[in-house]
Amino acid sequence: MSTVDLALDGNIATLTLNNPGKLNAIDLAMWQQMIVHLRAISANPALRCLVIRGAGDEAFAAGGDLEEFVTGRATLEQALHYHGQVAEALNAIADCPHPTLAMIRGACIGGGLEIAGACDLRLCAESSRFGAPINRLGFSMYPGEMEGLLRLVGAAVLKEILLEGRILGAREAYEKGLVTRVLPDEQLAGEVAATVARIAAGAPLVASWHKQWIRRLQQGTPLSEADKASAFAFLDTEDYREGLAAFLEKRKPVFQGR
């Protein structure tokens, strides 16, 4: 049975893509489960970070579950519904107010690459591999799914990935901007834990604001006076006062997200 499993450990959420025997290939039910989980995660102010990973060590996710395309994506109406759900899930990851991190082992292909690309950070093992060889399957990537990868790596790299359909190793993926960090396989879990700890130690409101302002600046339009004023919303927060006090008192801050 294919599932997307949600686990909570204190203020850290983990979503595990789980499709045994299919390298965690993602079917429609999994995309829909992702949407439901992301709504709950985004609405939970107590969380500090979301980790997305694949079950086991062989794959993050090896693309979509092609077997269901025969009956579940056979007509235009079905295809629009199917890929509308995919796009909604990817947007839910990108719009999550909490920092998101993809922990990647093994195959990160097609839909798996789209999920990883929607995350804020992507840490991968040296044995990981990346690509979207759908040019050999006779269908194109849906524009609503392509958008996040285009923002991440730009047109030149995305054209290379899609037009060649070549599978990239971890080092080449890093060089092209697809991943944030490449680790020896045995060090991946430890570095993910350390990265999550660094994120969780920061002020959660600040993390959300940083994500918000990066997206706003990517629009390429000048900031309005209202934009500039709202950038100082932190002045009225308890976390700002706590951060300053902790610095002056030479202690670790304790942030409450208020």
Side-chain angles (χ1 to χ4, degrees), residues 45 48 200-207 209 233-247 251 253-258:
R48 300 292 179 88
L205 293 176
V206 172
W209 280 324
F234 63 82
L235 290 172
D236 293 325
T237 67
E238 292 180 19
D239 281 356
Y240 172 60
R241 292 188 287 273
E242 166 64 12
L244 281 183
F247 176 80
R251 59 175 175 81
V254 180
F255 296 116
Q256 303 295 329
R258 299 193 294 266

Side-chain angles (χ1 to χ4, degrees), residues 14-237:
T14 300
L15 284 181
T16 301
L17 311 173
N18 189 1
N19 193 352
K22 292 188 175 183
L23 294 177
N24 300 325
I26 311 156
D27 58 26
L28 180 58
M30 293 172 70
W31 289 114
Q32 292 170 332
Q33 289 173 49
M34 233 181 298
I35 293 169
V36 173
H37 287 320
L38 262 297
R39 286 173 182 160
I41 290 167
S42 295
N44 187 344
L47 295 179
R48 300 292 179 88
C49 187
L50 166 63
V51 177
I52 303 180
R53 57 164 298 161
D57 295 330
E58 294 187 42
F60 180 76
D65 189 344
L66 299 183
E67 290 184 9
E68 75 172 2
F69 284 9
V70 177
T71 56
R73 202 188 66 166
T75 67
L76 175 59
E77 183 178 7
Q78 288 177 329
L80 286 171
H81 173 70
Y82 187 101
H83 290 285
Q85 296 287 283
V86 176
E88 184 174 348
L90 295 174
N91 288 337
I93 297 170
D95 294 339
C96 181
H98 314 302
T100 56
L101 183 153
M103 176 179 173
I104 305 166
R105 293 186 186 273
C108 184
I109 307 296
L113 184 63
E114 294 166 5
I115 291 171
C119 292
D120 299 316
L121 303 175
R122 289 156 296 283
L123 274 61
C124 76
E126 286 181 333
S127 62
S128 301
R129 52 200 185 278
F130 303 82
I134 57 176
N135 62 335
R136 296 195 288 276
L137 294 170
F139 63 87
S140 59
M141 185 176 286
Y142 184 61
E145 302 167 32
M146 194 184 301
E147 186 177 8
L149 291 173
L150 181 60
R151 283 198 303 264
L152 178 64
V153 297
V157 172
L158 186 55
K159 286 178 182 179
E160 181 181 8
I161 291 169
L162 295 176
L163 298 181
E164 289 190 53
R166 187 165 57 88
I167 301 301
L168 312 180
R171 290 296 170 185
E172 186 175 3
Y174 172 78
E175 291 167 1
K176 295 184 184 303
L178 277 171
V179 296
T180 308
R181 226 168 295 156
V182 181
L183 287 307
D185 286 33
E186 66 277 8
Q187 295 180 19
L188 177 62
E191 181 59 19
V192 166
T195 302
V196 168
R198 288 190 289 269
I199 291 171
L205 293 176
V206 172
S208 180
W209 280 324
H210 280 153
K211 291 184 60 168
Q212 170 190 316
W213 284 113
I214 288 169
R215 175 168 286 195
R216 171 63 182 85
L217 292 169
Q218 284 179 320
Q219 294 175 6
T221 55
L223 297 178
S224 67
E225 292 306 311
D227 287 332
K228 294 173 184 177
S230 67
F232 293 96
F234 63 82
L235 290 172
D236 293 325
T237 67

